Amino acid sequence: MAGEWGVTGQNPASVGELLEQAQRQAWDLTVNLPPPGEVDRVRTAADRVRAHLGAWPGLIESAGHLLRSIPLPDRDRRAMAQLTVAVERLGQTVPPRRSQKVHPDERMTRIASLLAAAGDLLTDSVPQGDSGARQDALAVRDKVAVVLRTAATTTTAYIEMAPNTARPGGLWDSRLHDLAHEARQITASIVAERAGRYDDVATSAALSVFDGVDGGEGLDRYAVFTGWKTATERAVTGRFARGVDMVGTTSDLVVVTRLAALTFRAGAEAGLVDTGVANRADIAARRASAALTQTLRALRDVATGPGGDLERHDASRQFRDILAELYRDPRHPERSCTPSDLAARDDMPQLLADIRLLLRSGQDLARALHTCATGTAHRQEFLVPARVAASTLRPVPTEWLEASRHGHWLRAPASLPQVARVVADAARGNELMAEAALAAAGTSRAHRPGPGTVGFAAGVGRMPEPYQGTGPAPGSSRDRGVRHHP
Amino acid sequence: MRGQVGQGAVGTLTRMVTGESQRLMDEAWAWVAAAEQECSRRIDEGSVGPALFLLGDCGDVLATLEEAGAQPQAVHLKIAADDVGGGTAGERVAPALCLARAEAALDAIAADDRSTLLLPARAELRAVVVRQPVDDRGQ
């Protein structure tokens, strides 16, 4: 899953890589369309539509965020306007009622996350007022248009196949068509695949902004973050994930969400985030934290066999040490860090960017944790004390009573309340983690750091040279010919 | 070591030690679990101080104690402030005091009864205690 972001320890994700991943996800959306003429079962068709409809609000928000983040002088904004307006009009329309039983389509949700991440990178790394070459900005716009067009077309296809009861109808349907139309207009004019200098905007550019901290330390921190995510994901998606790894992952996510809540409040106090946006993100993070704490308690009522993933354990320890160092007030190590303490720090913009990155990573880990808990429960690999199981189930098998007398432990059926609680709490944690990540994406929109405080205008970090020629852009992640937009 | 789960519906656990030593190991587990529980409560109340990071550390200690043979939930230990000393019944117990109690329980295990895996568990617990700043009760 690390490849999904294109994030590795040495090569953080760039805008170009994120958009490429989004396009791959969009491709997979179309691959799952049933061939023409195949009769889809009514219920499956209805569920598909509901899953897509449930995912569109997040996609709209992320796409709008990315489009607004693309640096373009006001005089050139018209080139972006029609697509942006179509996205916003769809967002302003009352969405179809969301089904509680059908989860938002996972691919669409992932596309939304990728677009939001790209938007964050542009917002955090490119100074306000960067005039940029028009064609570079349009390159990003075109990729977004391709993704939106694919998503809208696929959703429309499912709507047409679905029974009337599942169709959204009305204004929402009409505005989805408008969005698809605008995106189609743009993609029809693309002569060849665009590459531009914004493709190469990456987190490494934002790492060099600390006063007194050189790029080497910043890179180490990101290596730790990505190492933690990779090791943790491997541990909890493995066939024989151990309880200690599930507990460790949940603990780490509690730390991340709680720090996120603190950071967003500090961001508002520092004037870096709108108060309303920060409040929403704060609440979402705390709700996720509470749900994950509940999951932790539920995991303490069950066990798996001995053993755990050493790499995950080491990565988690290193990760927590770095976070503790980041958020520690060296003058008062024993007391809680307050939003005012953080707001006064020079590295607040970087902390906000870090925590958004961690929430996005945490979203994937929470999903993996839920899948792991569900699989472990299904395979009856959770153990409980026999006396606990015997007191819960009726009728009680004789051998369980015997085991209870001897203090033995049992493989618990998935229906046992202690096990069911783990699965349910992990599901809730997953859901709220996704909401927290989405709310966090909004915190990068409200205010861009001014010139001289962050990034290139401060003379720190390096921006790829503006691309002027007709050959491959130097240092670009793409090595293909590009023709100027006529 | 917890041992292997047996065949069929009933799992079995092999105990390395019996009697008083097992009880003390289980008691240590329960005290660390109580510390973890208190950390969770403080996080719910908004703490982002030492309790936030102690949560994960407690989890690590619990894992090593289980490896050493402690049986979770085998002992229902009612943690009362007056057991620890210095507080009144009904007060919550600071995590640092719970960890100190866990250390005391492990140290009370007879030297001959200390399984090989108990040493890393004891070391892990000591490392966590040493890492904590002076606990500010209520913070």
Side-chain angles (χ1 to χ4, degrees):
Chain A
M1 267 207 173
E4 178 190 342
W5 291 103
V7 177
T8 67
Q10 296 302 319
N11 299 302
S14 63
V15 169
E17 285 166 354
L18 290 169
L19 291 177
E20 189 176 345
Q21 290 293 334
Q23 288 186 18
R24 285 187 196 166
Q25 293 292 324
W27 177 268
D28 288 345
L29 269 182
T30 65
V31 164
N32 283 319
L33 274 173
E38 181 178 297
V39 174
D40 206 357
R41 283 169 41 184
V42 169
R43 186 170 172 182
T44 307
D47 283 351
R48 275 201 181 121
V49 165
R50 290 185 187 117
H52 270 241
L53 296 179
W56 266 103
L59 184 55
I60 290 165
E61 195 154 345
S62 299
H65 166 48
L66 174 53
L67 289 171
R68 286 188 296 272
S69 304
I70 299 172
L72 202 61
D74 287 341
R75 65 175 182 274
D76 287 328
R77 277 273 154 204
R78 281 182 62 188
M80 206 75 67
Q82 281 170 299
L83 185 63
T84 310
V85 164
V87 168
E88 288 176 352
R89 276 162 55 93
L90 184 58
Q92 286 158 6
T93 312
V94 174
R97 195 171 64 177
R98 188 173 155 174
S99 165
Q100 296 299 323
K101 296 178 187 171
V102 179
H103 292 289
D105 183 271
E106 210 167 284
R107 263 189 207 90
M108 300 246 309
T109 305
R110 221 166 274 171
I111 290 171
S113 297
L114 288 161
L115 296 184
D120 282 352
L121 278 179
L122 284 177
T123 304
D124 296 338
S125 309
V126 180
Q128 193 175 28
D130 181 75
S131 55
R134 184 172 184 272
Q135 56 264 34
D136 294 322
L138 293 182
V140 179
R141 179 204 67 172
D142 292 348
K143 286 171 198 163
V144 178
V146 163
V147 169
L148 288 176
R149 179 185 173 184
T150 310
T153 305
T154 312
T155 302
T156 303
Y158 282 137
I159 289 171
E160 285 165 4
M161 285 189 283
N164 285 337
T165 48
R167 297 184 183 187
L171 197 55
W172 197 90
D173 214 359
S174 156
R175 289 193 171 165
L176 182 67
H177 276 93
D178 290 345
L179 173 61
H181 173 74
E182 287 304 330
R184 198 176 303 127
Q185 300 269 70
I186 289 167
T187 55
S189 69
I190 296 176
V191 179
E193 191 160 0
R194 263 187 225 282
R197 64 177 179 150
Y198 292 127
D199 284 353
D200 298 317
V201 171
T203 53
S204 60
L207 289 176
S208 317
V209 301
F210 292 106
D211 289 335
V213 176
D214 62 29
E217 286 190 33
L219 283 171
D220 284 347
R221 188 162 97 221
Y222 276 91
V224 167
F225 287 178
T226 52
W228 162 72
K229 187 187 183 235
T230 306
T232 304
E233 213 151 37
R234 196 158 48 226
V236 294
T237 53
R239 170 71 173 81
F240 298 104
R242 297 289 85 178
V244 65
D245 294 317
M246 291 189 237
V247 166
T249 301
T250 311
S251 296
D252 289 346
L253 293 177
V254 168
V255 171
V256 166
T257 47
R258 182 48 71 181
L259 289 177
L262 169 73
T263 309
F264 297 139
R265 290 204 301 279
E269 206 168 305
L272 294 172
V273 183
D274 277 349
T275 307
V277 171
N279 282 344
R280 279 195 293 277
D282 169 23
I283 290 167
R286 280 191 282 129
R287 286 182 71 205
S289 175
L292 290 161
T293 308
Q294 193 59 37
T295 309
L296 195 61
R297 290 190 193 118
L299 281 168
R300 284 287 170 225
D301 286 337
V302 296
T304 63
D309 191 308
L310 277 178
E311 195 181 328
R312 184 215 62 83
H313 174 265
D314 289 345
S316 170
R317 172 63 59 85
Q318 198 177 18
F319 171 70
R320 280 185 264 139
D321 285 346
I322 281 217
L323 286 182
E325 192 59 36
L326 270 181
Y327 282 86
R328 191 173 59 96
D329 181 350
R331 297 163 300 172
H332 306 284
E334 73 288 354
R335 70 170 174 81
S336 298
C337 188
T338 66
S340 301
D341 295 335
L342 284 187
R345 285 167 51 163
D346 294 335
D347 59 349
M348 257 313 295
Q350 187 58 48
L351 281 179
L352 280 167
D354 283 348
I355 213 69
R356 281 193 293 268
L357 174 72
L358 290 177
L359 281 177
R360 286 197 297 273
S361 299
Q363 185 182 351
D364 292 334
L365 293 178
R367 188 185 305 128
L369 188 66
H370 174 222
T371 306
C372 173
T374 307
T376 306
H378 178 72
R379 293 189 301 268
Q380 297 194 16
E381 287 172 359
F382 280 124
L383 307 172
V384 294
R387 59 176 171 74
V388 170
S391 68
T392 308
L393 292 177
R394 292 285 179 272
V396 184
T398 313
E399 60 268 26
W400 286 20
L401 288 172
E402 191 64 26
S404 172
R405 271 195 285 276
H406 292 283
H408 291 167
W409 289 58
L410 293 173
R411 282 183 185 275
S415 57
L416 197 72
Q418 288 82 354
V419 175
R421 201 153 39 237
V422 170
V423 175
D425 287 346
R428 184 86 178 127
N430 175 29
E431 187 185 320
L432 292 177
M433 196 72 201
E435 287 184 15
L438 198 58
T443 63
S444 69
R445 286 171 235 184
H447 179 92
R448 292 190 193 179
T453 58
V454 149
F456 312 104
V460 188
R462 186 179 63 82
M463 183 73 167
E465 292 302 315
Y467 170 62
Q468 300 290 349
T470 54
S476 167
S477 59
R478 308 287 176 110
D479 183 26
R480 35 192 102 177
V482 175
R483 284 156 60 181
H484 284 288
H485 185 68
Chain B
M1 188 82 72
R2 290 267 294 277
Q4 303 299 314
V5 174
Q7 308 242 333
V10 177
T12 59
L13 291 173
T14 305
R15 298 187 184 194
M16 293 289 290
V17 294
T18 57
E20 179 65 5
S21 297
Q22 183 66 50
R23 190 194 70 76
L24 287 166
M25 236 185 334
D26 297 340
E27 183 182 320
W29 191 98
W31 278 113
V32 178
E36 188 189 53
Q37 183 92 320
E38 177 58 22
C39 288
S40 291
R41 281 196 210 107
R42 290 184 179 192
I43 290 167
D44 281 347
E45 290 165 1
S47 168
V48 285
L52 185 60
F53 298 97
L54 183 56
L55 182 75
D57 289 345
C58 287
D60 292 343
V61 174
L62 289 170
T64 49
L65 282 172
E66 287 169 27
E67 288 290 325
Q71 290 197 318
Q73 304 169 42
V75 172
H76 286 286
L77 189 71
K78 189 181 172 203
I79 307 296
D82 52 359
D83 286 351
V84 182
T88 56
E91 273 191 15
R92 283 154 54 170
V93 182
L97 296 176
C98 290
L99 295 178
R101 194 71 174 187
E103 285 197 299
L106 289 183
D107 290 340
I109 296 173
D112 292 344
D113 254 357
R114 290 172 191 164
S115 65
T116 310
L117 288 173
L118 197 57
L119 183 58
R122 183 68 184 88
E124 187 79 33
L125 180 54
R126 181 96 286 261
V128 169
V129 170
V130 164
R131 269 205 295 272
Q132 300 311 303
V134 173
D135 195 338
D136 190 355
R137 185 182 288 230
Q139 287 292 323

